[in-house]
Amino acid sequence: MTERPPLDDIDLKILSELQKDGRIRINELALRVGITAPPCLRRVRTLRSSGVIQAIRATLDERLLGYEVMTFVLIQLESQRLAAIEAFEAAVTAEPRFLQCWRISGDADFMLKCVAPDVNDMRRQLLQFAGLPNVRKIRSFPVLGVSKDAPLPIPGSLATPNPA
Amino acid sequence: MTERPPLDDIDLKILSELQKDGRIRINELALRVGITAPPCLRRVRTLRSSGVIQAIRATLDERLLGYEVMTFVLIQLESQRLAAIEAFEAAVTAEPRFLQCWRISGDADFMLKCVAPDVNDMRRQLLQFAGLPNVRKIRSFPVLGVSKDAPLPIPGSLATPNPA
DNA sequence: TGTGAAAGAAAGTCCAT
DNA sequence: ATGGACTTTCTTTCACA
């Protein structure tokens, strides 16, 4: 599940295509990468079960679903002991509007991506977290817009990238 | 393309399912949301063309593709004039290893998510950007690990969320 | 909008190479 | 590991409620 599978050019092309369109038909995919459907299907399955393809998911428009504000938040804890870290992670996990959370180094311990219907909701949410016992410092960075959102560049591939 | 389509409960369930598995069969999807395949297919198409579903894409494992390091970077510019902003965005867009870039407010102008094969590559990449004429301040936050990666919570839905 | 049936297309399996 | 032929299953269109 997390070994290092050897990826040939065809695999890389498959990954590139699936990153652009995760619902592409196996036939069409096979055509684009230059093989027939059966081996193509096998490769896709292997790529999924080996974990190279983590998931194929729909990306939704937050605004159209009522989340008007998005914010990045840097959080520094008082203590970096394992128990403190895990308690904080549990609190984050319990809050559905904290979409993503990364453990980081540098001048903070966590980076969060957070959505809310409006600024008041967001404020309440963040104040609540600022009040957790182990939280020393919170800095937030409201998102004004997306400048770039590109797929992972596929290593040796001649894959057409998907800029901006 | 960016209007506010009215979404009923069935639409919300569809979104929830597609966020969990973007390659789910229309049949299976229809079954889960309680209608038959034809209207389900129509709804999915509408959701896509209205932009509620932005895309359906494969998410790849960066490590398994040779990107050992990932970093968030906060960037503050000297000038916030439009021309300066756009010049910076163009530079970011030209660098494939800057995967995502958000325009933000707060104590910086941009938030970047950035990958590289190793720390040396990353260092070179960041130093190069630090040298751009209009860049005042760069702070980077190397990612140690992912604590949480959850889908967008679907508003009025009884949808099974996908925690951690 | 929804359903059911029917045509057409795709996925998935087997086997030979 | 691949490709061709087959079977099964799904997608999609259509007529109708």
Side-chain angles (χ1 to χ4, degrees):
Chain A
M1 196 72 171
T2 321
E3 287 152 35
R4 282 264 181 170
L7 302 173
D8 63 17
D9 280 2
I10 294 179
D11 290 317
L12 295 177
K13 281 189 197 166
I14 289 175
L15 293 175
S16 177
E17 291 299 326
L18 285 176
Q19 232 181 348
K20 287 190 287 188
D21 177 6
R23 263 189 102 85
I24 187 176
R25 306 271 180 201
I26 293 294
N27 262 326
E28 174 66 18
L29 182 58
L31 186 69
R32 290 195 197 174
V33 306
I35 56 178
T36 52
C40 185
L41 180 62
R42 257 183 298 128
R43 281 168 179 267
V44 171
R45 283 177 174 162
T46 305
L47 289 168
R48 298 191 77 162
S49 67
S50 69
V52 178
I53 297 174
Q54 292 180 330
I56 298 181
R57 296 201 250 109
T59 306
L60 310 183
D61 185 309
E62 301 92 1
R63 278 251 167 75
L64 293 180
L65 284 161
Y67 299 101
E68 292 288 338
V69 306
M70 178 185 297
T71 306
F72 281 98
V73 186
L74 281 174
I75 293 193
Q76 196 177 77
L77 300 185
E78 293 285 350
S79 156
Q80 280 76 38
R81 282 173 321 157
L82 186 59
I85 294 288
E86 287 177 348
F88 181 80
E89 288 182 336
V92 168
T93 299
E95 172 52 62
R97 288 170 181 174
F98 292 163
L99 303 184
Q100 282 145 359
C101 178
W102 296 267
R103 187 91 180 72
I104 59 177
S105 67
D107 199 31
D109 297 303
F110 290 98
M111 171 78 79
L112 269 78
K113 200 174 103 183
C114 184
V115 294
D118 56 63
V119 285
N120 266 320
D121 264 71
M122 181 65 85
R123 191 172 44 80
R124 257 180 276 127
Q125 213 172 135
L126 293 182
L127 285 177
Q128 178 191 333
F129 259 71
L132 286 183
N134 200 36
V135 171
R136 175 183 290 163
K137 194 168 149 193
I138 291 195
R139 278 172 298 166
S140 67
F141 301 87
V143 172
L144 302 179
V146 176
S147 298
K148 177 177 182 174
D149 185 8
L152 200 68
I154 304 295
S157 144
L158 33 149
T160 24
N162 193 9
Chain B
M1 197 70 171
T2 320
E3 288 152 35
R4 282 262 181 170
L7 302 174
D8 64 18
D9 281 1
I10 294 180
D11 288 319
L12 295 177
K13 281 188 198 166
I14 289 175
L15 294 175
S16 177
E17 292 299 326
L18 285 176
Q19 231 181 347
K20 287 189 287 188
D21 178 5
R23 263 190 102 88
I24 187 174
R25 306 266 179 201
I26 294 293
N27 262 335
E28 174 65 17
L29 181 58
L31 185 69
R32 291 195 196 174
V33 305
I35 56 178
T36 52
C40 186
L41 179 63
R42 258 183 294 143
R43 282 168 180 267
V44 171
R45 284 178 173 162
T46 305
L47 290 167
R48 297 192 77 161
S49 68
S50 69
V52 178
I53 297 173
Q54 292 181 330
I56 299 181
R57 297 202 250 110
T59 307
L60 309 183
D61 185 310
E62 302 91 1
R63 278 250 167 73
L64 294 180
L65 283 162
Y67 298 101
E68 292 288 338
V69 306
M70 179 185 297
T71 306
F72 282 97
V73 186
L74 281 174
I75 294 194
Q76 196 177 77
L77 299 186
E78 293 284 352
S79 157
Q80 279 75 37
R81 282 173 321 157
L82 187 59
I85 294 288
E86 287 178 348
F88 181 80
E89 287 181 338
V92 168
T93 299
E95 172 52 63
R97 289 170 181 174
F98 292 164
L99 302 184
Q100 282 144 359
C101 178
W102 296 267
R103 189 88 181 74
I104 59 177
S105 69
D107 199 31
D109 297 303
F110 290 98
M111 172 78 79
L112 269 78
K113 199 174 103 184
C114 187
V115 294
D118 56 64
V119 285
N120 266 322
D121 265 70
M122 181 66 83
R123 191 173 44 80
R124 257 180 275 127
Q125 212 172 133
L126 293 182
L127 285 177
Q128 177 191 333
F129 260 71
L132 287 182
N134 200 36
V135 172
R136 175 184 292 163
K137 195 167 147 193
I138 290 195
R139 276 171 300 166
S140 68
F141 300 87
V143 172
L144 302 179
V146 177
S147 297
K148 177 176 182 174
D149 185 7
L152 200 67
I154 303 296
S157 145
L158 32 147
T160 24
N162 194 9

